[in-house]
Amino acid sequence: MPEPLAAALADLRTLLTDSDRLVRAVAAGRRRGVTPEVPRVELRPVRIGAGPRLQIVEQDAARPRTRNVAWGADAEAAVAELLARPYGNWHVTGTDATVQLRVTKRGEAQVHRSAGAGTPADTEHDRAKSYLLPPDDELYGVIGGNAAKRRQVDAFLRALDATLPAQLPEPLRVVDLGCGNAYLSFAAYRYLTDRRGAHVQLTGVDIRADQRDRNTALADRLGWADRVSFVAGTIAAAPVDGADVVLALHACDTATDDALARAVRWQAPYVLAAPCCHHELSGQLRDRTDPLLRSAILRERFADVLTDAVRAELLRALGWSVEVVEFVDSAHTPRNVLLRGTRGGVDTAAARTGYQTLVDTWRVSPALGRQLADLLS
């Protein structure tokens, strides 16, 4: 291991094993030529019945695995093992500093330091669920939304918060594509400005002019009309000239592909899309004789998985590091898969091969691939 990388990891170890300084840490991504067995791991201090612990959540392809280890020798050993894994990116937030480590293709360490969280993490673990934006928040008294929608929005905000760096661009341009009633648009603006202190310019896009008018009136009622605006038009062609963060919550079928394509064209640093129905590839698979595809229900479920796998691999091929996660419990919505992308830190050549293998193996022509074909050639 190169000496600068070893020194950077040793610096992270000091912060990760300090129960008074650590707030939260996330490791993800891969290094050139080697992939960690567990794609993503998150660490944070918690307080449970047995006392203070370091909580480690490993997110693999099935479901998260959580363990709570005692501070001291146990935490030291656990952290050492995690740092030895070939993660390409570490984002560690402490009370006094935030450290971002990226391992380049050459195995070199790129380290960025910024301000810390300022206060220790809330370590209470055995307690009632907390919210970034509680379901009874006064904002919902203005914009509406049923209980299930409010929980979905809060879960989406958690994913957004985990994706964005501590230091945000000024202004932060956020675009919500297929915004509908704009529950997510308004909640994201409220959270990013009130909790993260960001200077946000948010634009919501929906095909219906009546939705634009309704949402514009709500923005004016909230006193946000100069920073939150809405336009009517298709996701693919609405007059928006770029974004730092692209959001898409349950855009139907290939509308999600339209949203992802615009994010790619804009070179948006951060993309969060929770797809809705997946009809397109199911139709392309309908006449196949493969036993996996004979049953309509199995074909539809497989098409869901294949569609999102293709989307994720194509985004990776074009330069985004992508995680596919469940962002909310299925009790609140069966459409609970989230594609969470951050530009950079990915082996695009391997991803291009993976994407091509998927479409060749299943003989499909996905909408996102057709829209971005010029970027793949």
Side-chain angles (χ1 to χ4, degrees):
M1 180 184 297
E3 185 175 340
L5 177 55
L9 291 173
D11 186 39
L12 287 186
R13 180 181 300 153
T14 300
L15 180 52
L16 290 168
T17 56
D18 190 331
S19 61
D20 294 324
R21 295 173 62 207
L22 178 65
V23 174
R24 180 175 177 271
V26 175
R30 60 190 291 270
R31 299 182 196 172
R32 187 173 190 177
V34 60
T35 301
E37 184 177 346
V38 178
R40 185 177 188 274
V41 63
E42 181 175 344
L43 301 85
R44 70 184 184 99
V46 298
R47 181 177 294 277
I48 60 177
R53 293 290 188 270
L54 173 64
Q55 183 178 87
I56 301 172
V57 180
E58 297 178 288
Q59 298 182 346
D60 62 13
R63 59 173 52 247
R65 300 193 304 271
T66 302
R67 54 192 168 112
N68 299 311
V69 299
W71 292 101
D74 290 347
E76 291 273 359
V79 167
E81 188 273 327
L82 294 173
L83 290 172
R85 297 180 185 179
Y87 289 115
N89 298 279
W90 277 89
H91 186 114
V92 184
T93 302
T95 57
D96 56 343
T98 295
V99 182
Q100 294 174 265
L101 168 64
R102 176 176 174 267
V103 183
T104 68
K105 292 181 179 179
R106 296 186 178 186
E108 298 171 346
Q110 290 186 349
V111 180
H112 175 74
R113 296 177 181 277
S114 56
T119 58
D122 178 3
T123 60
E124 288 300 320
H125 183 58
D126 295 338
R127 68 185 192 280
K129 179 176 175 60
S130 61
Y131 296 89
L132 294 187
L133 192 63
D136 60 353
D137 189 277
E138 60 184 12
L139 174 67
Y140 290 116
V142 177
I143 67 174
N146 61 29
K149 177 60 69 175
R150 297 179 189 190
R151 292 189 184 97
Q152 290 175 44
V153 166
D154 187 77
F156 201 105
L157 291 181
R158 289 182 179 278
L160 175 63
D161 182 63
T163 303
L164 296 179
Q167 200 73 20
L168 298 173
E170 292 284 346
L172 182 69
R173 298 172 304 160
V174 180
V175 177
D176 185 358
L177 295 172
C179 66
N181 284 321
Y183 303 125
L184 177 60
S185 306
F186 289 117
Y189 179 83
R190 170 70 170 273
Y191 173 72
L192 289 169
T193 55
D194 287 5
R195 298 284 190 88
R196 295 292 300 267
H199 172 53
V200 176
Q201 289 290 336
L202 188 144
T203 303
V205 174
D206 196 85
I207 195 169
R208 291 171 50 183
D210 61 329
Q211 292 282 44
R212 175 201 58 197
D213 296 341
R214 169 194 178 275
N215 296 335
T216 298
L218 288 175
D220 185 63
R221 180 179 170 187
L222 290 162
W224 298 347
D226 58 332
R227 291 149 288 161
V228 177
S229 60
F230 297 90
V231 297
T234 65
I235 291 174
V240 183
D241 59 7
D244 300 304
V245 181
V246 172
L247 310 177
L249 176 57
H250 295 161
C252 189
D253 197 20
T254 57
T256 293
D257 299 296
D258 295 340
L260 295 175
R262 291 217 78 175
V264 169
R265 298 287 184 189
W266 289 332
Q267 298 288 285
Y270 307 101
V271 182
L272 293 96
C276 191
C277 49
H278 299 69
H279 299 311
E280 188 204 24
L281 292 194
S282 180
Q284 294 183 25
L285 296 170
R286 183 170 294 119
D287 296 327
R288 306 293 171 81
T289 58
D290 191 303
L292 177 66
L293 306 175
R294 288 175 187 163
S295 167
I297 188 170
L298 293 180
R299 184 175 63 248
E300 290 174 6
R301 290 180 180 179
F302 175 73
D304 287 0
V305 173
L306 180 60
T307 299
D308 289 332
V310 165
R311 287 166 171 164
E313 202 66 4
L314 181 51
L315 288 175
R316 294 184 187 112
L318 295 174
W320 277 260
S321 177
V322 179
E323 295 177 294
V324 183
V325 299
E326 289 186 348
F327 77 100
V328 69
D329 192 280
S330 60
H332 303 308
T333 174
R335 301 299 184 183
N336 64 345
V337 170
L338 177 71
L339 281 70
R340 182 167 62 188
T342 302
R343 182 155 175 77
V346 63
D347 185 341
T348 57
R352 283 176 183 242
T353 299
Y355 169 74
Q356 199 60 50
T357 298
L358 280 173
V359 297
D360 289 348
T361 299
W362 293 102
R363 304 192 309 280
V364 292
S365 175
L368 188 60
R370 298 195 302 272
Q371 292 192 52
L372 300 176
D374 60 306
L375 300 181
L376 290 170
S377 58

